[in-house]
Amino acid sequence: MSEPVQTPQTQTAAFPARIFSGIQPSGGLTLGNYLGALKRFVEKQEEGIETIYCLVDMHAITVWQEPEKLRQQTREGAAAFIAAGIDPARSILFNQSQVSAHAELAWIFNCVARMGWMGRMTQWKDKTAGKNAEAASLGLFAYPALMAADILAYKATHVPVGEDQKQHLELTRDIATKFNNDYGVNFFPITEPVIEGAATRVMSLRDGSKKMSKSDPSDQSRINLTDTADAIAAKIRKAKTDPEPLPETLEALKERPEARNLVNIYAGLSGRTAADVLGEFAGAQFGTFKPALAELAVSVLAPITTEMNRLMADPAEIDRILSAGADRAEAIARPIVDEVYEIVGMVRPRR
Ligand code: AQP
């Protein structure tokens, strides 16, 4: 069936509140991942909602990953989650490839989603821009269907993400709606994105028009969660800015992307609004603001880095945590995916 997506018949409110989100272990995690995702994952856990968090290693291999590095980055990502405040006893924490329901549901969704929907994804366009799109992996093209499966295998009602994932979340809603309409069921919730906070889109320190990204070839463009205090201070000192002092209003930052980015980072790290930060620093030169930002960044990130290093010294313990999380995730996802097979008409003899 290929009719346009219709108005959702189901309401998220009809489903028990459940949060799902993930991060790709496609490199070391950045300050962007921390402010846009991790920090908010912890806030959701503290709100007492059921929270499921995943290192999406199957997403990571949509572009080439060295196998040993991928394993290392997955463990390091898990250490970052825990060091940032995710408690594996309260939240479910695991890596995607350990729960086969993700891949199984992704295939069903590959058959629900339309080629045109995928082709319109800006992440697909960005990641193939200036390159031979014919040589990109089929997995990179189908990435949003796997993401929809990650979320809907748990009937998650809310997904905290950074701004860059908004379009993929809309596609998840389209897939859920089309599945429900095609099969005449009210099976999947129409999941809500949760994009909150002062730093939902942290930009590169070298170019205010580019997102801070773990796969950017320039290490100077990002702050890594594994950076030392000296490295963080040096990167902020060298961050691209302009010669003007900080203004009084957000409006005046509109055409100053690099300055705006540093103000947003300060706001995100301090839990304040950007307007509030300008209230304190209006009129200050970057010679004053950058050291204050560096000090704040180190005070927030250094304890996380120290704890990550401690956890990384015992990889067997990290593997044990991921495996226990995978068992709990499997217990939720398995019956949901089994029901999907029933709905679509697969013969499923009772085992
Ligand atoms: N710069 C950012 N600002 C705010 N949020 C961000 N996120 C990523 N970068 C920023 C959020 O982090 C979560 C996990 O993202 P991901 O690792 O799954 O994929 P991504 O968005 O493609 O992140 P990267 O760092 O740019 O990865 P690569 O380089 O491998 O493509 C998401 O919630 C994302 O919004």
Side-chain angles (χ1 to χ4, degrees):
M1 298 179 82
S2 58
E3 298 87 48
V5 170
Q6 294 161 15
T7 314
Q9 293 169 353
T10 49
Q11 291 302 324
T12 303
F15 292 81
R18 183 177 279 159
I19 301 262
F20 175 93
S21 201
I23 297 189
Q24 298 185 78
S26 46
L29 302 196
T30 69
L31 179 65
N33 296 130
Y34 175 69
L35 291 177
L38 265 186
K39 184 171 189 264
R40 297 174 40 239
F41 295 174
V42 176
E43 288 163 8
K44 294 293 160 203
Q45 171 187 271
E46 298 311 318
E47 285 171 22
I49 310 168
E50 184 178 14
T51 40
I52 305 175
Y53 296 127
C54 187
L55 275 311
V56 287
D57 47 7
M58 297 200 316
H59 279 280
I61 61 164
T62 56
V63 297
W64 171 251
Q65 303 292 332
E66 291 294 338
E68 268 320 309
K69 267 179 100 176
L70 177 62
R71 250 188 292 279
Q72 163 82 8
Q73 285 160 191
T74 303
R75 292 184 178 122
E76 193 179 286
F81 271 77
I82 299 167
I86 294 300
D87 173 358
R90 283 193 285 158
S91 293
I92 297 179
L93 177 63
F94 69 108
N95 58 308
Q96 186 185 29
S97 59
Q98 289 204 63
V99 180
S100 61
H102 293 244
E104 294 175 50
L105 190 56
W107 181 256
I108 306 278
F109 288 167
N110 280 343
C111 302
V112 172
R114 307 288 97 182
M115 296 281 283
W117 299 1
M118 300 292 173
R120 284 193 283 277
M121 294 296 106
T122 50
Q123 183 166 303
W124 160 254
K125 290 186 201 162
D126 289 350
K127 290 208 167 176
T128 52
K131 297 183 195 143
N132 178 9
E134 298 275 310
S137 74
L138 184 55
L140 188 64
F141 189 67
Y143 184 111
L146 177 58
M147 182 165 157
D150 299 336
I151 296 163
L152 295 173
Y154 303 93
K155 295 192 178 181
T157 53
H158 296 84
V159 179
V161 279
E163 182 72 40
D164 61 316
Q165 292 298 330
K166 192 169 176 216
Q167 196 188 28
H168 286 164
L169 254 298
E170 278 159 13
L171 196 128
T172 297
R173 292 161 63 89
D174 288 347
I175 288 176
T177 303
K178 183 160 162 50
F179 181 93
N180 288 345
N181 287 342
D182 285 354
Y183 292 101
V185 290
N186 282 332
F187 188 72
F188 286 122
I190 309 304
T191 307
E192 304 282 347
V194 186
I195 302 171
E196 295 168 337
T200 54
R201 190 171 175 82
V202 178
M203 308 309 281
S204 157
L205 298 178
R206 310 302 301 162
D207 177 350
S209 68
K210 267 173 67 184
K211 190 185 77 151
M212 182 181 285
S213 192
K214 55 178 113 66
S215 59
D216 191 312
S218 164
D219 189 60
Q220 294 300 311
S221 70
R222 62 178 166 265
I223 292 173
N224 306 297
L225 294 189
T226 50
D227 280 345
T228 61
D230 285 350
I232 292 173
K235 284 178 181 179
I236 291 176
R237 198 168 50 244
K238 288 191 207 136
K240 188 177 168 200
T241 42
D242 56 45
E244 302 299 318
L246 284 174
E248 283 177 10
T249 64
L250 290 175
E251 184 62 23
L253 279 179
K254 227 172 165 188
E255 305 300 325
R256 299 173 63 189
E258 284 86 12
R260 188 174 64 228
N261 187 37
L262 296 189
V263 169
N264 285 341
I265 291 174
Y266 194 105
L269 285 168
S270 61
R272 291 160 63 185
T273 64
D276 201 17
V277 174
L278 285 183
E280 181 180 343
F281 287 98
Q285 297 288 346
F286 284 102
T288 305
F289 183 65
K290 282 181 169 180
L293 177 59
E295 194 184 329
L296 172 65
V298 170
S299 74
V300 173
L301 299 180
I304 296 175
T305 311
T306 305
E307 180 62 2
M308 277 176 73
N309 291 337
R310 190 188 70 74
L311 291 161
M312 285 298 287
D314 188 357
E317 174 60 8
I318 293 179
D319 291 2
R320 196 198 57 72
I321 290 169
L322 291 175
S323 160
D327 287 347
R328 290 168 64 201
E330 170 82 20
I332 300 172
R334 187 74 264 153
I336 292 175
V337 173
D338 280 348
E339 215 178 317
V340 169
Y341 282 136
E342 290 284 347
I343 290 169
V344 303
M346 306 299 192
V347 174
R348 306 287 287 170
R350 294 272 162 252
R351 281 180 290 243

